[in-house]
Amino acid sequence: MEVELVGKEGILFKDKAEQVVIPGEMGYMGILENHTPLLSTLKKGKVMIDKNGFDIDKGFIKVSDNYVIILAEK
């Protein structure tokens, strides 16, 4: 699936990935290929895109048609 992580500085990550783990409001959540469409807020924690980790303070995620976009504040 295509994954894009955008912060105030610009695009932090843009590439294909097999797995994304995000700090959702109700706890950590895993996103894999063909995930159900999702729109959610994120809380402070670590976004893991495959083996790449990014610390965020808060943000939003949208998942649709094997495309994941994360808008985050660091």
Side-chain angles (χ1 to χ4, degrees):
M1 70 188 150
E2 291 288 329
V3 179
E4 189 169 346
L5 173 61
V6 181
K8 288 183 180 180
E9 307 82 19
I11 296 172
L12 303 173
F13 181 93
K14 184 174 182 177
D15 204 350
K16 290 188 179 282
E18 292 184 20
Q19 177 176 333
V20 177
V21 177
I22 54 157
E25 290 294 330
M26 301 295 288
Y28 277 86
M29 184 176 0
I31 309 293
L32 299 172
E33 194 168 328
N34 298 317
H35 194 282
T36 302
L38 170 73
L39 181 60
S40 180
T41 56
L42 303 176
K43 65 180 184 177
K44 185 174 185 164
K46 186 175 288 281
V47 171
M48 294 296 299
I49 302 172
D50 288 336
K51 294 182 180 182
N52 301 299
F54 303 89
D55 291 318
I56 66 166
D57 287 333
K58 61 183 175 180
F60 298 92
I61 185 171
K62 179 181 177 188
V63 180
S64 180
D65 298 322
N66 285 321
Y67 184 77
V68 177
I69 185 161
I70 302 166
L71 304 175
E73 290 186 25
K74 288 181 82 172

